[in-house]
Amino acid sequence: MQWALWALVQAPAQRDYAGPEKVEPSSSPKGNAGKGPAKPDTDLSMDDVFGGGTAKPAAKPPEVAKPPGAAKPATGGDLTMDDVFGAGADTGSSEAPARGTEPAGTTTARDLEIDDVFGGGSSQPAGASTGPTTTVTTTTPAAPATKQDDAGKGKLQSPSEQILNKTGGKLHTRFRIISSLHYDVDRAEPRKISRNENRVEFYFAYTPNKHVQVVGEVDPVLMGTNQSRELDDLASQVYIQRFHLESRAAYVALTDIAPGLDIKVGRQIVVWGTADKFNPTNNINADDLEDRPLFTEPIANQMVVIDYSPLRDRDKLFFQGVYVPLFFPALLPPSAAAGLKDPYAETPFVNQSELNKITYLQEDYLPKNPKLVPTVFGHVEMPENKFTNGQFAFKLGSRLGEVDLSASYYYGRHDIPLPVEAKTTMVHPLNDGTEPPDGYYFRSDVRLIYPKMQVIGLDFVTQVPFLGNMGLWGEAALIIPEAKQFHIDLPPLPGGGVDVTPNDDMVNPEAFIAGPAVKKQPFLKATAGFDYTFGKHVYVQAQYLRGMINEFGAGHIGNYILGGTDLIFFGRKLVFRAFGLVDLPGNNPKGKGPSGVIAPALLFAPPWGYVNFELGSFALLGGDKTYFGQKATGSSIVYFKVIGSF
């Protein structure tokens, strides 16, 4: 009964800073209707670096959570829900804090984002830009708000005014320590600890005056899993303790250098779109897919961001232009290589004729002739670092009544590599009486590229007052790709190759299979969803997705449904979260059935502050030919995370 006893504890003595005292609400990364798509918030704080979500209007800092008992004293003999579960939303501001004031992967029923499905907090970290920013004044609501409840409530301020008011020309710093551990529980042999990350996040922002701000973040990261395989490896710390540095911000912001004109130059993140987590219009920064509970976390890159708001009300009309001189690829999970090396994996052919040939080869011919199964090696061709390979994008946004909307254009590359050629060579004679040392007679070298694309995007977000201020959002991207062929060499056998069309009553061996992998045909990706809060303790959200992050090209786009809930207890000190993602019929090969993901998590903020804990699971369901069941998606895991804030 210690949970109930917490509700009777007196509030502790006031102190300067005691770390996180509750499971904080996460700022929704994209949908804030009525406030307008936010302009880059050059008044960057630690919250922005370690948190994310769409650049929310600056509001009063969230109040430090009171213990549940102190939030609502008993006034009579009737027991209320708050007496049992804590004060809920009464313990904080109606504005969710930016990422960084909350522990990673935490949220409340008010403003859950799909980022939190995978345990990570928002997809928009340090300095992430979406559009103009306003300063609002809010009051604490009686219940948790949905992402739409903050619409246009206060006085507008320019970025330079925000910086001056908040920082006063001071140097701001903050630290955070995160340690996480993943354990493979299914679809892995053997079951083991597969990942251990230990990260120290150090952020600083120096603001000498209202027109200049210098922002940086350095994250030393130690990966605790030993990668040594040879005796020589044991003499190197590189393999025994893998260490590297990351940086999510290293830029200079110049604000109001002319009326309504702001410029940011350096390493930063720009997040576009209104949907939660799955944003087809968001292509400027590459995705970090390596840590599955932090799925689609953006990777910072060098760029120039120019924002211009010609009107006094910056939300009424704004422009944003972005130029990225260097291409940066997505960070892939280790399972991506396993998927590529699987000779039975799905191939990206578009035409049914080539698909029929490869299906016969994989399901009939190779199982009967195991000596012809090759060992596979992937070789990625990176674009050259020259200005002609740069990426650029621009966006036009506005707020019409309670609806925020924007249109955008992007020219660049898909950040996940696409196979375009597989060359096969014999490495051991078939008629040799001895077996090859590694068991393979053939080798296949696969060349992968990053195809160019243009993206025309539209998005909106709003609320529906007559449905209890239910939040609604939608986002669509028309993608015009660069056409690409896929060429696969077949084993060089006597007679010219392999007959991959056995049902045509002809013996016609072929030396290769070739056909379009990506047609020069525009295709659509889209996301539409809603969220709703029931009282103070239950939050629900659902989204329809057309096209996953890695899917590219007409004929390769699937359809998915995502939904989940947050249950809040003891004034946000305990949150139970459960989300699921399933593909719709028709996504997978006929007869293979559906597939999906289940991601439950428990988030706990002890009453002594400074630290938060998260225990969760990321379970992949489906057969080996389904989207979530294939080898490329990896194993099902249980993970544990501890976050300390200083």
Side-chain angles (χ1 to χ4, degrees):
M1 296 300 294
Q2 59 178 329
W3 305 111
L5 293 175
W6 281 4
L8 304 177
V9 177
Q10 294 294 321
Q14 199 70 297
R15 52 186 173 180
D16 291 339
Y17 179 71
E21 301 219 358
K22 62 182 178 181
V23 176
E24 294 282 1
S26 293
S27 58
S28 172
K30 284 92 195 173
N32 297 302
K35 297 194 291 283
K39 178 170 107 8
D41 185 359
T42 51
D43 185 8
L44 187 65
S45 68
M46 184 64 174
D47 301 344
D48 298 319
V49 174
F50 295 145
T54 294
K56 294 179 71 72
K60 65 177 183 179
E63 301 170 7
V64 176
K66 308 171 197 174
K72 187 171 183 176
T75 56
D78 294 335
L79 186 66
T80 68
M81 290 291 287
D82 288 344
D83 295 323
V84 178
F85 295 127
D90 293 338
T91 61
S93 163
S94 65
E95 283 287 334
R99 181 177 166 188
T101 57
E102 88 260 16
T106 59
T107 189
T108 68
R110 180 194 64 77
D111 211 2
L112 183 66
E113 37 183 285
I114 300 306
D115 306 4
D116 300 319
V117 175
F118 306 102
S122 167
S123 64
Q124 182 178 343
S129 303
T130 57
T133 300
T134 59
T135 296
V136 301
T137 303
T138 61
T139 56
T140 303
T146 64
K147 65 168 66 181
Q148 311 309 330
D149 283 346
D150 313 324
K153 298 178 183 175
K155 179 183 176 182
L156 301 174
Q157 289 186 343
S158 69
S160 60
E161 291 172 324
Q162 296 174 35
I163 290 176
L164 187 63
N165 291 340
K166 187 172 181 180
T167 67
K170 297 178 182 179
L171 175 66
H172 290 258
T173 63
R174 193 175 296 178
F175 296 87
R176 197 166 74 144
I177 296 176
I178 304 174
S179 182
S180 63
L181 184 140
H182 296 185
Y183 185 81
D184 292 336
V185 295
D186 190 27
R187 293 154 45 96
E189 291 296 336
R191 297 179 180 179
K192 62 184 185 302
I193 295 175
S194 57
R195 191 177 189 277
N196 173 223
E197 181 184 87
N198 304 278
R199 174 187 298 267
V200 179
E201 297 177 336
F202 169 64
Y203 160 86
F204 71 89
Y206 178 62
T207 312
N209 57 60
K210 67 179 183 178
H211 293 294
V212 178
Q213 188 173 48
V214 181
V215 179
E217 181 195 352
V218 178
D219 298 349
V221 181
L222 176 66
M223 305 300 291
T225 51
N226 183 3
Q227 296 295 305
S228 58
R229 295 295 180 267
E230 303 294 335
L231 183 61
D232 290 344
D233 297 344
L234 297 177
S236 172
Q237 290 281 6
V238 172
Y239 295 100
I240 295 178
Q241 296 188 78
R242 293 179 296 151
F243 176 82
H244 67 273
L245 291 175
E246 296 181 12
S247 175
R248 297 165 65 86
Y251 66 86
V252 174
L254 306 176
T255 60
D256 280 350
I257 56 177
L261 179 63
D262 311 312
I263 299 177
K264 290 167 67 176
V265 180
R267 187 173 182 83
Q268 52 193 300
I269 290 173
V270 173
V271 176
W272 285 357
T274 56
D276 272 348
K277 199 65 174 178
F278 299 93
N279 302 103
T281 65
N282 184 39
N283 298 284
I284 296 171
N285 290 89
D287 295 303
D288 185 346
L289 308 177
E290 185 265 338
D291 186 356
R292 277 164 290 168
L294 287 176
F295 190 67
T296 73
E297 193 79 358
I299 301 173
N301 200 356
Q302 283 63 239
M303 63 183 73
V304 178
V305 180
I306 300 175
D307 288 275
Y308 180 58
S309 303
L311 304 180
R312 179 177 178 81
D313 186 344
R314 291 176 169 245
D315 287 346
K316 291 299 183 182
L317 182 65
F318 74 91
F319 303 90
Q320 185 174 70
V322 181
Y323 174 68
V324 185
L326 302 175
F327 172 77
F328 200 89
L331 183 62
L332 303 181
S335 58
L340 177 68
K341 294 179 179 181
D342 180 10
Y344 301 101
E346 184 180 358
T347 56
F349 286 120
V350 176
N351 294 337
Q352 192 61 44
S353 57
E354 285 82 39
L355 288 173
N356 290 339
K357 292 178 181 179
I358 201 70
T359 298
Y360 166 74
L361 189 70
Q362 292 176 331
E363 297 184 359
D364 195 344
Y365 190 82
L366 288 180
K368 294 177 181 178
N369 300 274
K371 288 185 177 182
L372 303 183
V373 176
T375 179
V376 181
F377 297 86
H379 309 279
V380 177
E381 287 187 4
M382 296 296 298
E384 294 184 15
N385 292 330
K386 53 186 182 180
F387 289 111
T388 55
N389 281 331
Q391 308 161 77
F392 64 87
F394 56 84
K395 183 178 185 180
L396 170 65
S398 182
R399 184 179 70 200
L400 301 177
E402 294 298 318
V403 181
D404 294 342
L405 49 86
S406 68
S408 60
Y409 173 81
Y410 167 83
Y411 176 84
R413 295 177 184 268
H414 187 47
D415 63 354
I416 297 177
L418 173 76
V420 293
E421 184 180 41
K423 290 186 176 181
T424 302
T425 55
M426 183 182 293
V427 293
H428 194 86
L430 287 171
N431 55 5
D432 193 323
T434 62
E435 292 188 1
D438 61 356
Y440 291 99
Y441 292 84
F442 293 90
R443 168 183 173 133
S444 180
D445 290 275
V446 180
R447 182 167 63 94
L448 301 100
I449 65 162
Y450 294 92
K452 292 182 179 180
M453 66 177 183
Q454 302 176 69
V455 181
I456 301 172
L458 293 171
D459 62 67
F460 81 93
V461 61
T462 188
Q463 61 182 356
V464 185
F466 61 85
L467 293 178
N469 284 340
M470 173 187 290
L472 292 177
W473 60 88
E475 184 174 343
L478 181 66
I479 302 174
I480 306 170
E482 178 184 29
K484 289 297 176 182
Q485 294 283 112
F486 187 26
H487 179 108
I488 301 178
D489 285 346
L490 298 179
L493 300 177
V498 178
D499 183 4
V500 289
T501 56
N503 299 323
D504 60 0
D505 298 325
M506 296 177 61
V507 179
N508 49 353
E510 299 184 23
F512 60 87
I513 301 174
V518 177
K519 293 182 178 179
K520 192 172 180 135
Q521 173 184 339
F523 61 95
L524 186 70
K525 283 189 174 184
T527 306
F530 73 91
D531 67 352
Y532 191 78
T533 302
F534 296 91
K536 301 178 182 178
H537 306 286
V538 180
Y539 173 88
V540 294
Q541 186 192 84
Q543 287 194 123
Y544 160 74
L545 316 174
R546 175 166 176 79
M548 271 291 171
I549 291 171
N550 64 310
E551 292 176 333
F552 189 77
H556 300 311
I557 306 301
N559 299 279
Y560 308 86
I561 294 292
L562 185 147
T565 184
D566 251 25
L567 305 178
I568 287 82
F569 303 95
F570 310 109
R572 299 177 184 165
K573 290 188 179 293
L574 182 68
V575 173
F576 173 74
R577 175 174 305 130
F579 269 78
L581 178 63
V582 63
D583 51 18
L584 296 181
N587 284 4
N588 300 313
K590 188 175 181 180
K592 297 299 181 180
S595 65
V597 178
I598 298 177
L602 188 68
L603 302 105
F604 172 51
W608 54 78
Y610 291 105
V611 65
N612 275 40
F613 300 95
E614 179 179 351
L615 177 64
S617 177
F618 194 87
L620 301 164
L621 309 174
D624 59 2
K625 286 288 186 177
T626 60
Y627 183 83
F628 294 108
Q630 58 183 311
K631 287 186 179 181
T633 57
S635 61
S636 297
I637 64 171
V638 170
Y639 66 90
F640 175 74
K641 183 183 296 184
V642 58
I643 308 104
S645 299
F646 303 91

